[in-house]
Amino acid sequence: MPLFWRIFLLNAVVLVAATALLLLGPATVSAPVRLAEAAVLSGGLAAMLIANALLLRIGLAPLQRLARAMTTTDLLRPGARPAVGGHGEVAELITTFNTMLDRLEAERATSAARALTAQEAERHRIAQELHDEIGQTLTAVLLDLKRVADQAPDPVREQLHQVQETTRASLDEIRRIARRLRPGVLEELGLTSALKSLAAEFTSPALSVRHHIEPDLPPLGENAELVLYRVAQESLTNTARHADATRVGLTLERTPDGVELCVRDNGRGIEVATEGAGIRGMRERALLIGAGLTFGPAPDGGTEVRLTVPTPHRSQ
């Protein structure tokens, strides 16, 4: 039955019942209306309005649940679908909404996969150019400076040595940027060595990064390992830049369904309501491989990032 006729019949039932009570009941209306009669009529009207409101609330409850689902749905946080309730047009509307969500999540996953693949390819190209072009150019500049410094008088030689140190520091920074853009250690030595190298890279006098990586991790696949590395890299970057932390713990452990990466610091915490592009990027990467990603306060203060990656045979 269409929604219009269901609402019409609900109101008709209430009005018919009220009319029957007036016709068959002992109550009468005088002219002018007496106070007792006005009280009876007012009570009857209130009863009709309350009954009508209750019946409409029951009939429209599935639409209210659907409206709440529409306002809370986030494609980066796939959740349970609203239950199909009601009859006729209401049930059809909820079913259509669930089908639309399935299609949007599938399309977003496909587009995110293409975008992330293109992003990794672009990072690889930029890192290669930094290493081959700028890195080699600065290396040649260092050799020329050394040759000139060896032949220069003492006052000029000291200045040339300072220029050498500045150029060498720039070359080291370019190499560091290239390593972050293209994790060559991940391709060559695997995930365990890449995460250990990443922890050592972020360790400084102001920030202590400790790692615990279980041996004999299950095979995860190239995409899953890249997502694990990028999430760990982004988490450590956020900690170093924004958390004001002094300690960070990085763990990678086996779980019954796969592996779990945890990055926990003792900084000032994170505001969940203000997620930047980095966190959104991590969520998209997690969705790409069917992983679960959570952010929250650490038990001892600070921020905790957890990425749960299923093994390939469980994710299919």
Side-chain angles (χ1 to χ4, degrees):
M1 184 181 298
L3 182 62
F4 169 80
W5 289 110
R6 286 204 304 276
I7 295 176
F8 174 80
L9 288 179
L10 287 175
N11 290 323
V13 168
V14 174
L15 292 175
V16 169
T19 303
L21 288 176
L22 287 176
L23 292 176
L24 302 178
T28 58
V29 179
S30 303
V33 180
R34 298 176 181 177
L35 183 61
E37 295 172 346
V40 171
L41 290 176
S42 300
L45 177 61
M48 283 194 303
L49 293 176
I50 293 173
N52 191 32
L54 290 176
L55 292 175
L56 286 177
R57 180 170 293 277
I58 294 173
L60 299 179
L63 287 180
Q64 293 177 343
R65 292 195 297 269
L66 178 61
R68 286 195 299 268
M70 288 180 175
T71 57
T72 58
T73 296
D74 186 353
L75 295 181
L76 290 179
R77 298 180 179 89
R81 300 287 187 261
V84 178
H87 304 280
E89 294 170 340
V90 176
E92 182 180 356
L93 180 61
I94 298 175
T95 302
T96 303
F97 177 73
N98 290 340
T99 304
M100 180 191 69
L101 281 184
D102 294 337
R103 186 180 70 253
L104 289 177
E105 288 182 359
E107 292 176 354
R108 183 177 181 85
T110 302
S111 61
R114 289 196 298 264
L116 291 175
T117 300
Q119 184 184 73
E120 289 297 331
E122 185 66 11
R123 286 185 172 188
H124 188 282
R125 184 188 66 80
I126 294 174
Q128 193 72 28
E129 290 185 359
L130 286 174
H131 181 273
D132 293 345
E133 301 296 333
I134 301 179
Q136 292 181 6
T137 300
L138 289 179
T139 301
V141 170
L142 280 174
L143 294 176
D144 291 339
L145 286 172
K146 183 179 183 304
R147 185 175 63 253
V148 173
D150 292 339
Q151 301 173 0
D154 291 339
V156 178
R157 184 181 305 169
E158 183 63 28
Q159 295 178 3
L160 289 174
H161 284 321
Q162 293 178 0
V163 175
Q164 278 183 289
E165 292 303 320
T166 302
T167 306
R168 186 175 290 107
S170 300
L171 179 60
D172 292 339
E173 181 67 15
I174 287 175
R175 288 173 176 171
R176 184 183 63 81
I177 294 173
R179 285 196 303 270
R180 288 191 178 184
L181 289 173
R182 175 176 175 253
V185 65
L186 178 63
E187 301 174 359
E188 298 168 2
L189 301 178
L191 180 62
T192 299
S193 298
L195 291 178
K196 291 180 180 179
S197 175
L198 190 65
E201 181 180 346
F202 279 90
T203 299
S204 65
L207 183 63
S208 172
V209 182
R210 296 184 178 182
H211 58 79
H212 171 70
I213 302 173
E214 286 190 356
D216 301 327
L217 294 172
L220 298 171
E222 181 179 350
N223 289 335
E225 290 186 352
L226 182 59
V227 169
L228 281 165
Y229 180 86
R230 290 301 188 193
V231 169
Q233 184 183 48
E234 183 65 29
S235 300
L236 290 175
T237 300
N238 289 338
T239 299
R241 291 180 179 176
H242 310 297
D244 293 334
T246 58
R247 298 190 312 274
V248 183
L250 187 153
T251 61
L252 184 63
E253 300 175 337
R254 179 191 290 266
T255 65
D257 297 327
V259 298
E260 183 180 72
L261 172 73
C262 178
V263 181
R264 180 185 301 169
D265 64 57
N266 66 339
R268 61 184 180 183
I270 185 174
E271 297 180 4
V272 180
T274 56
E275 294 187 356
I279 295 179
R280 289 195 298 270
M282 285 192 280
R283 291 195 184 280
E284 290 181 351
R285 289 180 183 277
L287 289 177
L288 180 62
I289 59 173
L293 184 69
T294 59
F295 295 87
D300 300 327
T303 304
E304 181 180 86
V305 180
R306 287 186 177 272
L307 177 68
T308 305
V309 180
T311 51
H313 71 279
R314 291 183 178 270
S315 62
Q316 293 176 354

